[in-house]
Structure formats: C-alpha cells, structure tokens
C-alpha cells in the first residue's frame, strides 16, 4: 500500500472589513508575524508558533460571524498544549509584556 500524503497544517480564512486594523490587531495585540500581499495590501497570512490565520480584505461583505449563525460555532479554534487558548488571555499577556518593556 502506498504511503499516504502527509498533511502539515491548516489555516482559517477570516474576512476583514478594515484590513490595516485587522493586521495590526493580530500583530500587535496577539503577537503574530504578518506576511502581506497585494497592491494595495489585501491579503495576509498571520503566523505565530505553528498557527496560521489568513486575513482577506472584504470591505463590503455582509456575512455574519459563525457564532451569529449557529450557537457555539466559531470561525476558528486555537490550541495551546492540550487546551483551547483564550485569546483575551494572550492579549493580556502581550499587554503586560509591552508594559514591562517600557
């Protein structure tokens, strides 16, 4: 039997109305590195550790976030070790790091 092709990862694609603000949030508040494409910039892969999140500029989109469509459904999940990561905790840690660095 031939070897199966190995999958190495996945990334969710999030639509953002304000591209610059979305990139700044993931970069400055959550500590991701931004890889940006387009002229003007309209697509980014945000990367931290082994996590990748894609941001796509969609200024006129009227889609609702998943949690507004079905209860308890989110646009993406993040794991740290064995547990789901609370992004507000990551934000708080980043904020504390910036305060100590000042």
């Amino acid at each position: 039997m031939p070897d199966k092709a190995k999958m190495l990862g996945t990334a969710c694609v999030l639509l953002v109305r304000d591209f610059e603000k979305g990139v700044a949030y993931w970069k400055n508040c959550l500590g991701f590195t931004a890889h940006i494409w387009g002229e003007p910039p309209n697509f980014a892969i945000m990367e931290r550790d082994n996590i990748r999140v894609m941001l796509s500029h969609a200024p006129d989109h009227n889609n609702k976030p998943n949690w507004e469509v079905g209860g308890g459904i989110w646009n993406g999940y993040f794991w740290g070790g064995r547990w789901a990561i609370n992004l507000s905790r990551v934000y708080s840690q980043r904020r504390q790091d910036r305060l100590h660095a000042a």
Side-chain angles (χ1 to χ4, degrees), residues 5 7-8 13 18 24-25 30 32 42 50-52 58 62 65 68 74 76 80 82 86 89-90 96-98 100 102:
M7 293 189 186
L8 300 176
V13 178
D18 186 326
Y25 176 79
L30 301 177
F32 281 69
N42 59 17
N50 290 321
I51 301 292
R52 288 172 191 82
N62 292 319
E68 289 184 13
W74 298 95
R82 296 181 348 185
N86 180 338
R89 185 171 147 218
V90 173
Q96 288 297 322
D97 291 345
R98 285 194 308 266
H100 291 299

Side-chain angles (χ1 to χ4, degrees), residues 16-17 57-63:
V16 293
R17 286 190 181 108
H57 191 214
D60 300 322
H61 84 85
N62 292 319
N63 294 335

Side-chain angles (χ1 to χ4, degrees), residues 7-22:
M7 293 189 186
L8 300 176
T10 185
C12 57
V13 178
L14 302 178
L15 303 177
V16 293
R17 286 190 181 108
D18 186 326
F19 184 75
E20 290 178 9
K21 194 182 275 188

